[in-house]
Amino acid sequence: MQDFASGPVLIVGCGRLGSAVVEGWLDHGPVDPRRLMIVTPSPKAVADRAERAGARINPGSEQLASVQAVVLAVKPAVWRAAVADLPGALDWDAVIISLMAGVRADDIREATGRSVVRLMPTTAVAQGRGVAAVWSEDRGAVEAAAQLFGPLADIVSLATEDQIDVATAVAGSGPAYIHAFARAMAEAGVEAGLSPDDAVRLARGAVRSAAAAPMDDDLEKLIARIASPGGTTQAGLKAAEEAGLGAAAKAAVSAALRRARELSGQ
Ligand SMILES: NC(=O)c1ccc[n+]([C@@H]2O[C@H](COP(=O)([O-])OP(=O)(O)OC[C@H]3O[C@@H](n4cnc5c(N)ncnc54)[C@H](OP(=O)(O)O)[C@@H]3O)[C@@H](O)[C@H]2O)c1
């Protein structure tokens, strides 16, 4: 099996997500910074850090022939310009890993002439604690993505490309929904008598405590461990469900999905 982590690996775009990926690789592997190349129009702190560790910033096209995998982390509006020089410079076996929302694999394949895998990670890849949905028709390309991102994220392999948007609505946007829920919990705590500072610290601590639970445990089991029968948590959960907790989650996911489809012109 091809070892994609031994590179060279090229990442195009070092904004919010690209920087998170590079930071993750520098701190958690598997990409050796000496085998990493970064394309970035403007200087970025994490690119400077990678350069100090041996990475090459803005390589010339003659340096791309040995690249095994290209990670696309630019905005959808600029991707065609960002990949324009790649087809003539890359080896035929190079795999394109697109992190872009709303750009179909077929379009990227047509523009680059290379195998394409779509991977939708969260920015917690920087801490090696992300989650990433992955899809490709090509199993070799999925393998490339799993090798490069496995140390940074839980890789969830999807059955269809359309599910990428659903995964984004659940996991990509999800942390913002959870922060919003924590804010609402803090507001409820203030109404019930806490000071605003204490309420925010306690609500954020609750999110941190939930995140510290063993990730392979069943969600029902995790809930049951806290909500003992007839207790306060069970009463709170019942009230939250009756007030529309499930309906709010469904509304959030379907609105994010609808917006993703509008933005990608589907
Ligand atoms: N942010 C997230 O949480 C997230 C999650 C999943 C997927 N995504 C996807 O990731 C992609 C990037 O999102 P983002 O939030 O990281 O955006 P961003 O912060 O705007 O980063 C995009 C970067 O691309 C750079 N860039 C522009 N033209 C370029 C070119 N021709 N070659 C190389 N780099 C170029 C920009 O450089 P300058 O800064 O120098 O202008 C910018 O730093 C999007 O397609 C998005 O759908 C993002």
Side-chain angles (χ1 to χ4, degrees), residues 2-23:
Q2 199 173 337
D3 178 10
F4 289 94
S6 67
V9 173
L10 172 73
I11 181 160
V12 181
C14 200
R16 277 168 300 177
L17 183 59
S19 286
V21 170
V22 173
E23 204 175 315

Side-chain angles (χ1 to χ4, degrees), residues 47-61:
D48 292 346
R49 194 185 146 206
E51 189 174 27
R52 287 195 295 277
R56 191 167 299 165
I57 310 302
N58 295 324
S61 55

Side-chain angles (χ1 to χ4, degrees), residues 95-145:
V95 169
I96 311 286
I97 302 172
S98 169
L99 312 188
M100 297 182 294
V103 182
R104 307 285 294 181
D106 270 350
D107 292 338
I108 305 169
R109 191 166 30 245
E110 215 175 279
T112 60
R114 304 298 189 280
S115 259
V116 176
V117 54
R118 291 187 61 190
L119 181 113
M120 202 50 61
T122 57
T123 48
V125 289
Q127 291 81 33
R129 297 181 63 188
V131 60
V134 67
W135 178 85
S136 176
E137 274 174 359
D138 176 351
R139 288 179 63 178
V142 171
E143 177 58 32

